Amino acid sequence: GQNIDQPTEMTATEGAIVQINCTYQTSGFNGLFWYQQHAGEAPTFLSYNVLDGLEEKGRFSSFLSRSKGYSYLLLKELQMKDSASYLCAVTNAGKSTFGDGTTLTVKP
Amino acid sequence: DTEVTQTPKHLVMGMTNKKSLKCEQHMGHRAMYWYKQKAKKPPELMFVYSYEKLSINESVPSRFSPECPNSSLLNLHLHALQPEDSALYLCASSQERLSSGANVLTFGAGSRLTVL
């Protein structure tokens, strides 16, 4: 089975840095993905990790430790438009299982 | 074209109706998915098609019937639904496999279904 945990809500200030953690316990693992979902819209892909380490994509970075079952998404230079739900998803054998998501609120 | 297009955007149907949701992509992706998402919940996988063949059915009730007419199209046929089936239905596609077998999903905007 799959168990994926993320904090429910986080609040941060415009211009700051925020780290959203994700821990997982899964029966198989091909990769860990991060998606962003604004209210009423579809999820959009942000970043993924297959191997341990840090992947950087502009203002977004994602880290993975497979031995610890742990990942985080780092958002730098926060903007108001970054207020959204951030979904951690583990993929195994063609199936992506999503965590419940972290609702991030960015305040001025 | 880097989009997944879903129609209709909104659908209201009675419990005795038969309707269909449609999904189309022209990215050459060979895997297509149906997800169901309730309010404030994550997407839940329903079906996966790989090379136009059904490869995963997550024990979905038979009142939901998927169909993949070709590599660009995915349908979800709906019949005798219940009010609790009201949700956002998301279609997604991906390249069949990246080198590790992990697939980046490209989602459509979704079809919001209300069952009365």
Side-chain angles (χ1 to χ4, degrees):
Chain A
Q2 316 272 61
N3 187 34
I4 302 171
D5 289 315
Q6 308 177 230
T8 304
E9 294 179 335
M10 298 183 71
T11 303
T13 304
E14 192 176 14
I17 299 172
V18 70
Q19 178 175 312
I20 303 175
N21 295 326
C22 172
T23 58
Y24 64 91
Q25 294 174 306
T26 58
S27 55
F29 180 89
N30 286 140
L32 190 140
F33 293 73
W34 286 94
Y35 292 85
Q36 179 191 61
Q37 187 173 25
H38 285 98
E41 298 181 11
T44 55
F45 167 72
L46 290 177
S47 184
Y48 81 95
N49 297 75
V50 173
L51 301 176
D52 291 354
L54 187 68
E55 292 286 338
E56 297 189 75
K57 289 182 66 174
R59 293 192 300 116
F60 299 95
S61 304
S62 60
F63 172 84
L64 175 67
S65 169
R66 288 172 295 170
S67 62
K68 295 181 179 177
Y70 168 69
S71 173
Y72 67 72
L73 179 70
L74 195 69
L75 293 80
K76 303 175 187 175
E77 301 169 14
L78 280 174
Q79 303 175 8
M80 299 299 289
K81 68 178 182 180
D82 296 329
S83 292
S85 180
Y86 291 86
L87 300 162
C88 168
V90 173
T91 298
N92 176 42
K95 294 171 55 171
S96 293
T97 302
F98 289 81
D100 284 350
T102 298
T103 300
L104 173 66
T105 302
V106 179
K107 297 188 173 180
Chain B
D1 187 351
T2 58
E3 287 188 342
V4 175
T5 304
Q6 290 188 242
T7 56
K9 288 188 172 16
H10 299 276
L11 178 63
V12 179
M13 61 187 290
M15 289 190 284
T16 58
N17 292 156
K18 285 186 181 181
K19 297 286 185 183
S20 297
L21 306 180
K22 298 185 183 300
C23 175
E24 188 170 4
Q25 58 89 14
H26 295 289
M27 295 178 282
H29 288 175
R30 303 313 299 266
M32 296 186 77
Y33 310 74
W34 281 114
Y35 280 84
K36 172 182 177 180
Q37 188 174 28
K38 304 279 272 186
K40 299 190 186 301
K41 292 292 186 183
E44 295 179 4
L45 183 64
M46 300 175 72
F47 303 104
V48 181
Y49 273 82
S50 176
Y51 290 87
E52 301 162 47
K53 287 185 170 27
L54 183 65
S55 61
I56 297 174
N57 176 345
E58 290 288 274
S59 302
V60 179
S62 60
R63 58 186 184 268
F64 295 91
S65 175
E67 178 196 19
C68 189
N70 60 55
S71 60
S72 299
L73 294 173
L74 185 67
N75 299 322
L76 186 63
H77 302 299
L78 314 171
H79 175 53
L81 294 193
Q82 304 296 311
E84 59 263 30
D85 296 322
S86 297
L88 181 67
Y89 288 84
L90 293 163
C91 174
S93 69
S94 71
Q95 293 178 337
E96 168 58 10
R97 288 188 180 277
L98 300 181
S99 57
S100 70
N103 299 325
V104 176
L105 297 173
T106 301
F107 285 90
S111 293
R112 188 162 297 283
L113 173 68
T114 302
V115 182
L116 301 176

